Amino acid sequence: MKNITLSLCAAALAASALADEAAVKQLPAPVTTGGMPLMEAIRDRHSERFYDAEKAVDDQTLSEILWAAWGVNPAGKRTIATARNLQNMGLYLLTKEGTWRYDGAKNCLVKVNDVNLIPLCAQQEFVYDAPVHLLYTAVDDKWGRCHVGSAYQNVYLYATSKGLATVIRGLIDAPALTKALGLQGDEKVIIHQTVGYPEGE
């Protein structure tokens, strides 16, 4: 694991220098109506670790997952509350083709690098079957961690409403991921969340 970590970090740093800083993927506008009643979503929310590896998540659904976690509502407010309005959280999407940072204000993904960082999150084999990998960062204080918890709980509720499977995971190499992303100051990787369609459905 140590060799994998070192090689991925080196590759990430090299790729970051080469990545096109203007690489932006605009997401479809999230649909913010309908879905399961809130009390039913709270009742049925649960963790699920097994995914249909053959079933991808489309861009519309991805947009809604990201918006639920860290988007901006029509009133110009984040979809989660943040203490003192600090908003000291970051949200990244990991893919086999590279890493993207979610810009909630513009509802888009901004390319960070061309490196597959999923192996740094894959201390459990099921991780490789999940089509969506969310990585939460925060300025490493109690408020940042609280904000991350609010964000991933929103994803749980959205996933329940949409018939998706999800689980929050701490079995990751957070220091290596923090370095690979080139995070500055006190911002650190906190936790990872897999999302996808349940296996066998």
Side-chain angles (χ1 to χ4, degrees), residues 14-185:
S16 294
L18 298 173
D20 180 3
E21 293 182 1
V24 174
K25 179 177 181 178
Q26 188 62 50
L27 295 165
V31 175
T32 59
T33 57
M36 180 184 288
L38 176 61
M39 294 302 283
E40 292 179 24
I42 293 172
R43 180 194 66 197
D44 294 343
R45 184 218 61 80
H46 67 284
S47 295
E48 178 59 66
R49 293 169 176 80
F50 300 102
Y51 303 93
D52 184 341
E54 304 302 317
K55 193 168 182 180
V57 169
D58 61 84
D59 283 352
Q60 180 66 53
T61 302
L62 176 62
S63 174
E64 291 165 16
I65 291 169
L66 295 167
W67 181 83
W70 193 227
V72 175
N73 66 26
K77 303 292 186 181
R78 289 285 183 181
T79 50
I80 62 169
T82 63
R84 304 175 186 170
N85 199 31
L86 290 173
Q87 301 193 28
N88 56 347
M89 195 195 94
L91 178 58
Y92 292 82
L93 175 71
L94 308 185
T95 73
K96 294 177 182 178
E97 293 74 34
T99 309
W100 302 77
R101 185 179 180 100
Y102 177 61
D103 182 336
K106 297 179 180 177
N107 192 43
C108 68
L109 292 166
V110 180
K111 194 70 172 286
V112 174
N113 61 46
D114 297 315
V115 180
N116 177 7
L117 297 180
I118 295 170
L120 290 177
C121 300
Q123 295 181 32
Q124 296 165 300
E125 284 299 316
F126 75 81
V127 170
Y128 287 110
D129 292 332
V132 175
H133 296 263
L134 305 180
L135 198 64
Y136 298 89
T137 70
V139 173
D140 195 23
D141 65 6
K142 62 180 180 179
W143 300 121
R145 291 175 181 272
C146 287
H147 305 156
V148 168
S150 296
Y152 71 65
Q153 179 70 325
N154 269 16
V155 173
Y156 263 101
L157 295 175
Y158 173 81
T160 301
S161 177
K162 192 75 176 181
L164 296 167
T166 189
V167 66
I168 197 71
R169 307 182 55 261
L171 289 175
I172 59 175
D173 192 337
L177 286 161
T178 295
K179 184 176 180 180
L181 291 173
L183 300 182
Q184 301 297 311

